DNA sequence: TTGAATTTGTTCGTATGTATT
DNA sequence: TAATACATACGAACAAATTCA
């Protein structure tokens, strides 16, 4: 048993994961208390605590002060945290990490075009229309419409019906909102362009015109791409 | 100060992250020792250890016994761990999580077609040809060619030049290799079909034929989709 | 080869805050 | 309000890995 000591932390993590798997626990289900796990696994409370910390940061368990631990939401939040930090850190002065994030977002929007048209062509989702309208109002008032923008793209993804993709895109958005402010203020003209592009995307989907949709997506991301290039050039 | 106690853990995590950011540390650079951080931040070593544990599980730092702590690789490994666990756990008996992963992989392969043809049309990458050849040999010998399959798709992604996408796909593959064995053995006919589809993808890229490429991608994933449907039906 | 110094890994004991009953 | 159970935090001690003289 003495040899086990050297990796009590890791093995405790695995033991708890195995326990959840074997018991068939679902998100929200309760885990045994720390002291119970201590005696079951034969390790100290500190080790269990560190293991819980690891699992908690992976959103595999959720620790609630004074109440106990439950199985976590298994979300992609650790992905977001790591990605945001990496994008913030890896500033080679050329914003290449951010550029990859934006490129990925544009790629997703392009890729879902076919599926959107197959599902929504000929009709118009009232919520999407409302979001574009709100966007226009906010923009006219000179305020940021980032949250609405985000809701718009999230709504589009609902029609695709892939929860994993939706979560990944949410993570990319999270990074986006953290890092984009470093680029500086965007020109008013660019903002108008972005708002219009959203409307054109909806028009194209309703009309079932894939090429027009792709063009609108391109117009949507062009201002952002330009902003990144400008920032990269000025930092160099 | 007494009020701070309740969140010393979180704030310690943030403090260390800020330290890395402010010092402009890069992956591999050394961090102060635990005891130094203790005195700098005015918290106990236990708290620092738990914070380090959190950061380590996010691959933001890397802890080496007896040597010290360095800035981590900032990889997507926590994403992989969480996703694999989630896919293993969330067996509603219909493999819906796995289906989403596969759908996403297919979507990526479809989406990069245009970019691949723009970059590689008219030529043939010798490494890709070699991989398909090896795949054929392994398949003929009745052995699994999962690793070669993985290398094939990773190679394709190199031409796209988005490191973030490459890492995400790697994560999806990781989940794939962990969970797919639960589906049971695939039929020999399906295996042949998959091998051929890889060859057809290369042919289509060389010929600059996007439609043929998309068709080959569809053929590539069809056996897998069928296997998932079968498994879902039999488990129901 | 030995051994000291440094650094992380593990455990224990204690005190304190917090939620449930 | 009191009792209980649990999580949070601290500090001290020793174990194990690594480095260097």
């Amino acid at each position: 048993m003495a040899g086990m000591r050297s990796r009590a932390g890791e093995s405790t993590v695995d033991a708890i994961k195995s326990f959840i798997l074997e018991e068939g626990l679902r998100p929200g289900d309760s885990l045994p208390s720390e002291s119970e796990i201590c005696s079951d696994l034969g390790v100290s409370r500190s080790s269990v605590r560190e293991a819980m910390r690891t699992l908690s940061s992976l959103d595999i368990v959720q620790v609630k002060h004074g109440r106990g631990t439950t199985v976590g939401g298994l979300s992609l939040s650790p992905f977001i945290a790591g990605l945001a930090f990496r994008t913030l850190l890896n500033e080679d002065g050329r914003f290449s990490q951010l550029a990859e994030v934006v490129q990925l977002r544009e790629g997703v929007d392009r890729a879902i075009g076919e599926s959107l048209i197959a599902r929504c062509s000929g009709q118009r989702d009232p919520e999407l229309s409302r979001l574009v309208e709100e966007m226009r109002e906010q923009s006219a008032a000179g305020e940021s419409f980032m949250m609405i923008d985000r809701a718009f793209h999230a709504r589009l993804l609902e029609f695709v019906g892939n929860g994993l993709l939706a979560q990944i895109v949410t993570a990319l958005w999270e990074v986006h909102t953290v890092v984009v402010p470093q680029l500086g203020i965007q020109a008013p003209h660019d903002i108008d362009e972005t708002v219009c592009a959203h409307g054109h995307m909806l028009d194209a989907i309703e009309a079932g015109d894939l090429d027009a949709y792709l063009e609108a997506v391109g117009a949507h991301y062009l201002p952002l791409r330009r902003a990144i290039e400008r920032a990269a050039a000025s930092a160099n």
Side-chain angles (χ1 to χ4, degrees), chain A:
Chain A
M1 289 301 279
M4 293 295 292
R5 262 197 191 169
S6 55
R7 285 186 320 191
E10 282 309 312
S11 61
T12 304
V13 169
D14 289 340
I16 296 172
K17 278 165 74 172
S18 300
F19 177 83
I20 296 173
L21 243 30
E22 282 162 17
E23 298 288 318
L25 264 35
R26 294 275 171 271
D29 291 351
S30 284
L31 266 66
S33 73
E34 287 191 354
S35 32
E36 262 183 86
I37 296 177
C38 289
S39 49
D40 284 357
L41 269 46
V43 293
S44 76
R45 206 164 66 240
S46 307
S47 297
V48 173
R49 273 192 60 70
E50 289 204 349
M52 283 302 186
R53 185 95 179 171
T54 294
L55 293 169
S56 166
S57 68
L58 260 31
D59 200 20
I60 288 177
V61 305
Q62 221 166 351
V63 182
K64 280 173 215 159
H65 194 147
R67 291 212 282 179
T69 59
T70 59
V71 177
L74 304 170
S75 74
L76 263 40
S77 53
F79 175 56
I80 298 171
L83 193 57
F85 187 79
R86 187 168 83 147
T87 312
L88 277 174
L89 175 64
N90 203 330
E91 291 310 0
D92 47 1
R94 300 209 309 279
F95 294 92
S96 54
Q97 299 283 324
L98 178 60
E100 285 193 351
V101 170
V102 172
Q103 187 185 2
L104 220 49
R105 291 221 296 122
E106 182 168 0
V108 170
D109 281 339
R110 289 178 62 90
I112 65 176
E114 214 169 328
S115 170
L116 285 174
I117 287 176
R119 277 183 179 73
C120 311
S121 168
Q123 46 190 309
R124 193 157 190 122
D125 181 60
E127 186 172 342
L128 283 171
S129 300
R130 187 179 58 79
L131 286 169
V132 172
E133 198 49 47
E134 279 185 32
M135 217 178 285
R136 229 181 284 274
E137 289 167 15
Q138 291 272 338
S139 160
E143 292 175 32
S144 165
F145 53 87
M146 206 175 250
M147 294 307 295
I148 307 175
D149 197 349
R150 186 166 167 172
F152 178 90
H153 292 278
R155 176 68 180 160
L156 278 187
L157 278 169
E158 279 181 34
F159 291 104
V160 177
N162 188 309
L164 181 53
L165 177 61
Q167 283 189 302
I168 290 175
V169 171
T170 300
L172 297 180
W173 255 105
E174 210 78 43
V175 174
H176 187 106
T177 53
V178 171
V179 185
V180 160
Q182 295 191 348
L183 293 178
I185 308 295
Q186 296 204 13
H189 172 259
D190 285 351
I191 294 176
D192 283 345
E193 207 173 319
T194 304
V195 173
C196 286
H198 286 96
H200 292 155
M201 283 169 65
L202 290 190
D203 294 339
I205 293 170
E206 188 180 5
D209 186 343
L210 183 58
D211 287 333
Y213 171 82
L214 294 177
E215 199 177 328
V217 171
H220 173 286
Y221 285 101
L222 184 59
L224 192 49
R225 282 206 307 266
R226 275 202 301 248
I228 292 174
E229 279 170 25
R230 262 201 313 272
S234 73
N236 212 351

